[in-house]
Amino acid sequence: MSVKLEITNLRCNYLKNPLGIDSLPRFSWELYSTIQGQQQTAYRLLVASEKTNFDKEQYDIWDSGKILEPTNAHVVYEGKPLLPRTRYWWRVIVYDMDNKAHESEIRYFETGKLDERWVGNWITADYIKKEDSAYRAPLLRTSFDIDAAISKARLYICGLGYFEAYVNGVKPSDDVLSTAFTRYDMTVLYLTYDVTELVKSGKNALGVILGNGWYNCFAEDPWNTRQASWRHWPKVIAELHIELFDGRKKVIKTDPTWKSAKSPIIFNGIRNGEYYDARLEIPGWNLPEYDDADWKGTKVIRSPGGKLKAFELEPIRITQKIDAIRKWETPSGSWIFDMGQNLAGVARIKVRGEEGTEITIRYSDLLKKDNMSLDQSHIGNFIKSGEFQTDKYIKKSDDVEEWNPIFVYHGFQYVEISGIDYEPELDIVSALVMHTDFKRRGHFESSDETLNKIHNMCHWSTVSNFHGIPTDCPHREKNAWTGDAAISAEQTIINFESIPAYYKWMGDIKDSQRANGSIPCVVPSTGWGYNWGNGPDWSSALTVIPWYIYKYCGDTNILKEMYENIKRHCDFMNEMSDNYIVNYGIGDWCAPFDGPALGVNMGSFKAPTPLTDTAYFYDAAKTISKMAQILDKKEDAEKYRGLAEKIKRAFRDTFFDKENMKVAGDCQTSTACMLYQGLAEEDEREALLELLIKQIEEKDWHLDFGVLGSKYVMNILGEMGKTEIGLKMITQETYPSYKHWMDLGATTLWECWNGGGSHNHQMFSDVSAFMYKFVGGISPDENDPGFRHIILRPAIDCGLSFVKCEHDSMHGKVVCNWENEDGSVGIDISIPVGAYATLYIPNHYRDTIQEGGKDINSLSTIEVEDGKENFKIKLRSGKYHFRA
């Protein structure tokens, strides 16, 4: 069926119909057409105060007029000043290449509090007066009467560290572990809920239960979380704004008139676990008819100190329920359930037994050497107080009861249940998978099941390590290490609709930056991480993530928001340099080593740290120069271009032996670093590539890199046409390789190549980006970013028989599916409206290639350009079917 032009996937600030935003709206949409070469020639954006205004053509908030541009992403709102707590409706009219107008559906965005003063107080339960009284989760409630029909009701709320809210006994949303972790004395995030259907005429109740989360993390750990400057008791601020059909308005706010009681959650600590005594439940505590006369009071309490800002990202949700696949009894009499997948979340249990029976639930991703007992030694050794990854449940009756914790999450594959006196059925335990609920935007599949499983391992390690922040692991530390996040960010952006989450985390980095420009190695930071681990390598997250967002989404706003912070950090690196050489980073952490996962072994890599540090310093200066050019900051562009040249000369003088074509460290990481970071001259690249291949061959085609080298080596092999070598390395049967992890039972990526340390780490996940860019062959062009120009380099000669690869770009779905059966090649391509592409094909297919059954030289819609090793086919939007 022919479709001339269809407008789809309308978004505001990357979100569909966002509820409660404080940032300036930016509008995006995608276009679909079956006509090759179709394009948008103009658009007109319309914003109205009422949906019905569109029928009357009354665009009372903003009418952009007809804008003669093909832009379909990040169009900034330029209408009347927006009011707080107000819904606005919008649509876009797009003009095609024949100047015919096409209308989109009508969408909305709703503002949050903006700069409106909060009338609610921060409050907590009156009984919370010292640390141990805050271990137990408090219940808070108020009741109120409404004497007319409700037209609109919104709840604006922030509970620290975590909260769940209820209106007349109903939770208004499916988010969990809200609100997101921030540096609470700089920024706290409030959520907005539409509770119009929950508030009723007559008596109503608003109830909140508070958890400690990261705000009151009392466990002793190496990162000084217990000593965080913001740390205090759980607290909440809320405003329920109600509009009645008769025009009146009412606000229910947190204040000292609220009541409080102790909940059945008798203990909760994000690094420890949650204990629940069901005998202490208070039935109906959050309902209007509940009699709270015996409840205690509440008190106004100091705010956390940070500015209240809207929560503008997808929340954490329970995204999947996984049933156990096997169980067994341990020598100690407990039962272990294998979920078959390493993940982040909690267990949901269904148990029988007498009232008062205490069930203990312990979690890990490893078994002891007996292969029967749970082993937490590799992940629990950093937590010095309290139990680790342990939940407890005390039964309230003799009946079967179900339960799961609500204020913690754990990293695990195995769940140990103790306290039951019977052989349980397999179905008494299931895993609730919890993570920031960004949707998939990428798909990769190949004829090689090993590759598919590695890609799936990357998926699980990524979602296991995003809970409002991009963490290293979901159990041992739960820290957002900047280096891990920097390496994994590109593949996360390719695979997931993660940009709002990264915007949030970039805000966290801004909050953490010191006056001298330095940032800590974990963000948010309690104050730890400024004097170790925050070198140019790990701190590159501040520079590379905004650049990836620009490159993959064409978003200049993130560059504007982060530019001064990035520049200040580059200046800090310059101050730390000695003749433009820097040496204060972590280096190529976790290259292959023998022995236990100790710092001395994990840091025993070959590439000199000053080499990788200086290369990151160079990349930062070079990237800032490009950003400055984009932002029309000409003086800065020249300044940092000059700095980059000085760093490059210093690097080459210090680390490169041109005569013998050697790079200091003489290893895969060093050689690939020089190529990847652009420190080699054009006439040196082939010789350095030969050196890299020789170094790989000397390792019997095995990898010999750590976290930094994982980015350098695989990208250079892909960029320089040696994808097949990269595939050979990662699929090696023997140590060290990703395939070796698989053969040891891995379902996620591990921390150490020898199997030591954490068994759910995302830092080696950039291999997923390698698959998209250099196997499937889909990449953006930073010179025309956001996939406006798509670079297609399908690795049709890499030895695979087929690959299916796609990415949902800001313009729409990009597809590059290919097959190669005994030299007969087929490539199916889809280019969205608003984009164009360049397809690279090896020259030996030049004489036989056809599109749609016709010789490509006979097609006026295709432009062919011959090259040294590949010929290029330039494509307009549309679908293409190549055979050769």
Side-chain angles (χ1 to χ4, degrees):
M1 179 180 171
S2 177
V3 178
K4 189 165 186 181
L5 194 65
E6 182 180 315
I7 307 168
T8 66
N9 202 13
L10 279 75
R11 286 152 292 162
C12 175
N13 297 357
Y14 293 97
L15 301 169
K16 295 178 181 178
N17 294 335
L19 188 69
I21 60 171
D22 285 346
S23 57
L24 189 66
R26 290 174 294 122
F27 304 102
S28 302
W29 58 92
E30 296 172 14
L31 301 170
Y32 174 76
S33 175
T34 58
I35 300 171
Q36 282 189 355
Q38 180 62 276
Q39 58 184 306
Q40 171 187 304
T41 57
Y43 70 86
R44 183 184 176 194
L45 256 168
L46 307 169
V47 182
S49 59
E50 298 290 342
K51 189 175 184 180
T52 54
N53 284 8
F54 287 93
D55 296 331
K56 310 169 200 172
E57 298 187 2
Q58 293 177 354
Y59 315 123
D60 55 328
I61 304 301
W62 185 39
D63 182 347
S64 71
K66 187 175 181 180
I67 307 297
L68 300 177
E69 291 180 2
T71 305
N72 70 303
H74 320 300
V75 177
V76 178
Y77 173 80
E78 295 179 350
K80 293 179 181 179
L82 299 173
L83 301 175
R85 300 179 287 101
T86 303
R87 177 168 293 189
Y88 296 94
W89 301 87
W90 70 282
R91 81 170 355 150
V92 64
I93 298 173
V94 167
Y95 299 83
D96 65 21
M97 59 185 177
D98 298 319
N99 201 34
K100 182 180 178 183
H102 304 262
E103 285 188 340
S104 76
E105 61 184 339
I106 300 169
R107 289 295 183 92
Y108 67 82
F109 66 91
E110 192 169 305
T111 55
K113 293 276 290 178
L114 298 179
D115 292 324
E116 181 184 59
R117 178 179 169 273
W118 284 73
V119 297
N121 301 120
W122 285 96
I123 62 170
T124 193
D126 194 50
Y127 73 82
I128 297 180
K129 293 180 170 63
K130 55 183 182 177
E131 178 173 305
D132 58 1
S133 64
Y135 292 165
R136 188 167 180 174
L139 301 174
L140 295 89
R141 63 167 273 138
T142 192
S143 58
F144 56 94
D145 292 310
I146 300 294
D147 61 1
I150 292 92
S151 66
K152 175 183 173 183
R154 297 290 186 271
L155 176 62
Y156 304 92
I157 182 169
C158 176
L160 300 178
Y162 294 139
F163 75 92
E164 288 196 348
Y166 300 87
V167 177
N168 293 330
V170 179
K171 191 167 177 264
S173 177
D174 59 357
D175 59 294
V176 297
L177 300 179
S178 294
T179 185
F181 184 14
T182 57
R183 179 174 164 175
Y184 302 106
D185 55 358
M186 293 290 288
T187 299
V188 284
L189 301 180
Y190 70 90
L191 285 89
T192 302
Y193 298 117
D194 182 349
V195 295
T196 306
E197 299 301 316
L198 302 181
V199 180
K200 308 295 183 184
S201 296
K203 192 167 185 179
N204 293 265
L206 175 57
V208 179
I209 181 170
L210 296 174
N212 286 305
W214 290 107
Y215 183 60
N216 185 31
C217 181
F218 42 76
E220 291 283 0
D221 63 38
W223 312 285
N224 297 340
T225 315
R226 179 177 169 80
Q227 288 76 36
S229 59
W230 63 69
R231 185 178 157 233
H232 202 216
W233 320 139
K235 59 191 64 171
V236 63
I237 188 170
E239 294 177 5
L240 174 56
H241 288 255
I242 302 168
E243 296 181 13
L244 307 177
F245 275 112
D246 62 15
R248 287 179 296 153
K249 297 180 179 181
K250 189 166 186 176
V251 180
I252 310 302
K253 61 188 178 72
T254 44
D255 60 28
T257 65
W258 282 50
K259 298 290 192 71
S260 72
K262 297 177 180 179
S263 80
I265 300 176
I266 57 177
F267 175 90
N268 70 104
I270 187 64
R271 293 204 182 280
N272 304 115
E274 181 171 313
Y275 306 163
Y276 188 96
D277 188 342
R279 298 170 300 180
L280 303 175
E281 289 179 349
I282 307 174
W285 71 271
N286 49 18
L287 295 174
E289 59 271 19
Y290 178 78
D291 183 0
D292 60 13
D294 293 332
W295 279 37
K296 305 298 182 183
T298 58
K299 57 188 174 184
V300 175
I301 194 168
R302 292 177 181 87
S303 82
K307 182 178 180 180
L308 279 160
K309 297 179 182 178
F311 187 102
E312 297 186 29
L313 65 153
E314 290 294 342
I316 300 169
R317 293 188 177 97
I318 296 170
T319 62
Q320 193 174 347
K321 176 177 171 287
I322 296 179
D323 296 324
I325 61 170
R326 62 189 181 110
K327 65 176 174 66
W328 62 89
E329 188 174 13
T330 70
S332 65
S334 62
W335 289 88
I336 290 183
F337 295 77
D338 180 1
M339 311 317 299
Q341 175 62 56
N342 205 339
L343 58 95
V346 295
R348 181 164 180 82
I349 61 169
K350 181 173 62 177
V351 291
R352 65 178 190 264
E354 295 180 355
E355 176 187 349
T357 300
E358 181 173 300
I359 312 298
T360 299
I361 311 158
R362 298 172 66 238
Y363 305 78
S364 186
D365 56 12
L366 189 66
L367 300 174
K368 291 182 178 178
K369 289 182 179 179
D370 66 2
N371 219 32
M372 294 284 288
S373 307
L374 198 76
D375 187 359
Q376 292 185 333
S377 61
H378 66 302
I379 54 175
N381 53 321
F382 284 156
I383 308 307
K384 303 302 183 183
S385 63
E387 296 181 87
F388 176 74
Q389 290 214 145
T390 300
D391 300 328
K392 295 181 181 180
Y393 178 75
I394 301 175
K395 292 186 80 268
K396 64 184 174 184
S397 71
D398 297 340
D399 299 329
V400 174
E401 296 172 16
E402 294 190 43
W403 175 79
N404 60 267
I406 62 170
F407 287 143
V408 294
Y409 75 92
H410 307 293
F412 64 99
Q413 179 173 337
Y414 305 102
V415 178
E416 180 191 67
I417 303 291
S418 58
I420 56 176
D421 58 2
Y422 58 91
E423 178 175 348
E425 298 296 323
L426 190 61
D427 66 357
I428 78 155
V429 175
S430 56
L432 305 181
V433 179
M434 302 160 72
H435 58 83
T436 296
D437 189 21
F438 34 46
K439 303 297 185 286
R440 289 300 298 256
R441 69 187 301 190
H443 174 79
F444 178 91
E445 180 185 355
S446 77
S447 57
D448 188 325
E449 271 308 301
T450 295
L451 271 191
N452 297 339
K453 288 178 180 177
I454 293 171
H455 189 260
N456 196 49
M457 289 159 65
C458 294
H459 165 88
W460 277 101
S461 283
T462 303
V463 298
S464 297
N465 282 294
F466 225 118
H467 295 83
I469 55 173
T471 57
D472 61 331
C473 60
H475 35 46
R476 185 184 70 198
E477 302 182 34
K478 293 183 169 79
N479 283 324
W481 286 87
T482 51
D484 301 53
I487 297 296
S488 66
E490 185 174 14
Q491 69 82 15
T492 304
I493 290 169
I494 294 171
N495 278 301
F496 301 98
E497 294 179 2
S498 54
I499 306 302
Y502 278 120
Y503 256 90
K504 179 266 178 191
W505 195 57
M506 288 296 103
D508 294 337
I509 292 180
K510 289 178 81 166
D511 285 348
S512 76
Q513 189 170 35
R514 284 182 166 172
N516 67 357
S518 68
I519 64 172
C521 57
V522 294
V523 176
S525 169
T526 63
W528 183 89
Y530 287 96
N531 297 315
W532 181 86
N534 63 334
D537 45 10
W538 260 234
S539 297
S540 67
L542 173 56
T543 305
V544 301
I545 293 177
W547 188 249
Y548 290 147
I549 293 172
Y550 169 74
K551 183 176 175 180
Y552 279 87
C553 301
D555 186 347
T556 57
N557 181 68
I558 190 69
L559 304 186
K560 294 173 185 174
E561 285 197 8
M562 300 304 298
Y563 180 76
E564 291 300 325
N565 303 86
I566 295 168
K567 197 170 74 163
R568 282 168 52 205
H569 181 255
C570 187
D571 294 343
F572 170 74
M573 287 189 283
N574 201 7
E575 291 173 5
M576 289 290 290
S577 73
D578 181 5
N579 292 319
Y580 304 106
I581 301 296
V582 282
N583 179 23
Y584 62 101
I586 292 178
D588 195 29
W589 193 250
C590 282
F593 63 83
D594 295 324
L598 302 173
V600 65
N601 292 327
M602 297 157 107
S604 61
F605 42 80
K606 298 170 185 173
T609 299
L611 181 149
T612 52
D613 273 2
T614 305
Y616 272 109
F617 181 27
Y618 168 73
D619 182 68
K622 182 176 64 174
T623 303
I624 293 171
S625 179
K626 290 189 284 188
M627 290 178 179
Q629 197 72 38
I630 294 162
L631 300 177
D632 198 28
K633 298 177 182 288
K634 294 183 174 58
E635 287 186 14
D636 277 359
E638 188 60 35
K639 172 185 172 181
Y640 287 98
R641 189 180 304 115
L643 175 60
E645 284 302 316
K646 292 174 183 176
I647 300 167
K648 182 176 180 177
R649 285 196 295 271
F651 178 98
R652 291 172 61 85
D653 290 346
T654 307
F655 303 115
F656 181 47
D657 179 355
K658 182 176 175 67
E659 183 177 346
N660 296 300
M661 202 55 65
K662 294 286 185 183
V663 187
D666 193 20
C667 62
Q668 295 174 17
T669 294
S670 293
T671 304
C673 173
M674 187 166 179
L675 286 164
Y676 176 78
Q677 300 285 36
L679 290 153
E681 303 298 349
E682 192 59 38
D683 62 355
E684 298 162 349
R685 289 177 62 82
E686 285 300 326
L688 285 170
L689 176 63
E690 289 179 14
L691 172 61
L692 175 60
I693 295 171
K694 179 173 177 290
Q695 290 165 335
I696 296 169
E697 186 177 11
E698 286 172 352
K699 291 294 179 181
D700 197 22
W701 306 102
H702 284 71
L703 59 85
D704 190 32
F705 49 66
V707 59
L708 304 184
S710 70
K711 186 78 174 176
Y712 306 148
V713 174
M714 301 304 293
N715 273 274
I716 281 302
L717 291 174
E719 286 175 17
M720 300 189 71
K722 300 298 179 183
T723 296
E724 71 282 359
I725 295 178
L727 292 174
K728 186 174 183 178
M729 293 171 74
I730 63 177
T731 58
Q732 283 284 0
E733 298 279 346
T734 52
Y735 164 83
S737 76
Y738 292 86
K739 175 66 164 61
H740 178 64
W741 279 342
M742 283 173 44
D743 293 342
L744 292 176
T747 59
T748 45
L749 304 175
W750 291 358
E751 183 178 24
C752 304
W753 295 111
N754 66 1
S758 160
H759 279 193
N760 196 343
H761 244 65
Q762 67 164 327
M763 67 183 186
F764 285 112
S765 64
D766 191 64
V767 66
S768 175
F770 168 81
M771 294 182 200
Y772 281 96
K773 295 189 292 183
F774 305 118
V775 183
I778 297 175
S779 294
D781 178 0
E782 70 175 42
N783 295 311
D784 202 351
F787 285 97
R788 176 163 172 76
H789 179 215
I790 302 162
I791 298 172
L792 300 171
R793 292 182 180 272
I796 53 179
D797 289 337
C798 70
L800 299 174
S801 59
F802 78 83
V803 165
K804 296 178 181 179
C805 187
E806 59 187 53
H807 172 78
D808 290 328
S809 75
M810 297 301 294
H811 296 285
K813 191 179 294 294
V814 181
V815 177
C816 186
N817 297 335
W818 60 265
E819 57 187 26
N820 188 337
E821 292 289 347
D822 301 321
S824 178
V825 172
I827 309 172
D828 294 331
I829 288 168
S830 181
I831 309 300
V833 175
Y836 63 101
T838 303
L839 172 65
Y840 292 80
I841 303 291
N843 281 337
H844 55 266
Y845 294 104
R846 180 67 175 85
D847 295 335
T848 61
I849 193 162
Q850 296 182 333
E851 196 284 315
K854 298 179 181 178
D855 188 301
I856 59 172
N857 294 308
S858 67
L859 299 173
S860 60
T861 57
I862 287 177
E863 181 183 340
V864 182
E865 183 179 317
D866 292 317
K868 183 179 178 183
E869 296 179 354
N870 301 286
F871 63 98
K872 296 188 290 188
I873 303 175
K874 297 183 178 180
L875 305 170
R876 301 181 298 174
S877 65
K879 293 186 177 182
Y880 300 86
H881 307 280
F882 292 97
R883 298 293 180 267

